Amino acid sequence: MLHSESMIPDKIVPDPAAQPENIHGTAILIGDRGVLITGRSGAGKTTLALTLLDHCRARGLFSRLIGDDRLLAAARAGRLVCRVPATIAGLAEVPGFMPRPLPFEPGGVIDLHVRLVPKAEMARFQEEISEPVAGCPVPRIDLAERNAATALPAVMARLSIAPFR
């Protein structure tokens, strides 16, 4: 039996009138996992993203930029999807330089929200929490801003990616 769109639950079919939310953040893909990195300007979002991309590529893991600085975020079928606006697709803002081209994917499903915060606001041990982004709950961890060396193993551990399992 064929089903018309009117018979499909609203959770599956996105509202065509719903506009994606424009958010300040950077998103990447690591294997089949999406990571959203947010924080205030200068917190190190791009630096962490580039560090994660480089780390994964050096170990033979697929990794790609989705978008840097601005993303279009929307809930789709209960998952957060981030897309890069066409005007900045494939560009990463390297501190001290103009945006530079990188291989990218136009969008991806987000599995983890990394929020970069001042070190004093970060709990040493964090409970599992989720926070809505564009109306969709996403697991979140808080990491110290401007500290990619410390954030790298935390993200890999949270995603259970080698060497963590």
Side-chain angles (χ1 to χ4, degrees):
M1 178 175 173
L2 296 175
H3 296 283
S4 71
E5 281 192 31
S6 63
M7 297 176 71
I8 299 173
D10 289 337
K11 286 184 179 179
I12 296 173
V13 178
D15 177 1
Q19 293 295 315
E21 186 176 320
N22 187 344
I23 62 173
H24 182 197
T26 298
I28 62 172
L29 293 172
I30 298 175
D32 63 352
R33 310 273 180 86
V35 179
L36 168 65
I37 306 166
T38 63
R40 62 186 180 177
S41 275
K45 296 178 293 295
T46 303
T47 300
L48 176 56
L50 294 173
T51 300
L52 286 163
L53 291 171
D54 185 55
H55 175 84
C56 292
R57 283 189 195 128
R59 285 154 183 78
L61 295 169
F62 173 84
S63 60
R64 285 280 194 285
L65 175 72
I66 294 174
D68 182 40
D69 195 44
R70 292 283 167 207
L71 299 163
L72 302 174
R76 298 287 187 255
R79 305 286 307 273
L80 177 66
V81 175
C82 284
R83 298 192 182 284
V84 62
T87 55
I88 60 169
L91 297 174
E93 215 177 292
V94 179
F97 294 94
M98 297 296 291
R100 300 293 172 111
L102 276 179
F104 77 101
E105 293 293 325
V109 174
I110 301 300
D111 299 290
L112 179 64
H113 175 194
V114 175
R115 188 174 70 158
L116 300 179
V117 299
K119 188 175 182 176
E121 293 178 21
M122 192 184 98
R124 181 169 179 194
F125 297 105
Q126 298 179 42
E127 295 181 24
E128 300 253 343
I129 62 167
S130 287
E131 177 180 71
V133 177
C136 187
V138 179
R140 188 193 88 206
I141 58 173
D142 291 345
L143 298 174
E145 60 188 9
R146 292 186 289 275
N147 195 341
T150 301
L152 173 73
V155 172
M156 300 305 278
R158 183 61 175 80
L159 292 174
S160 298
I161 295 175
F164 304 96
R165 292 284 175 199

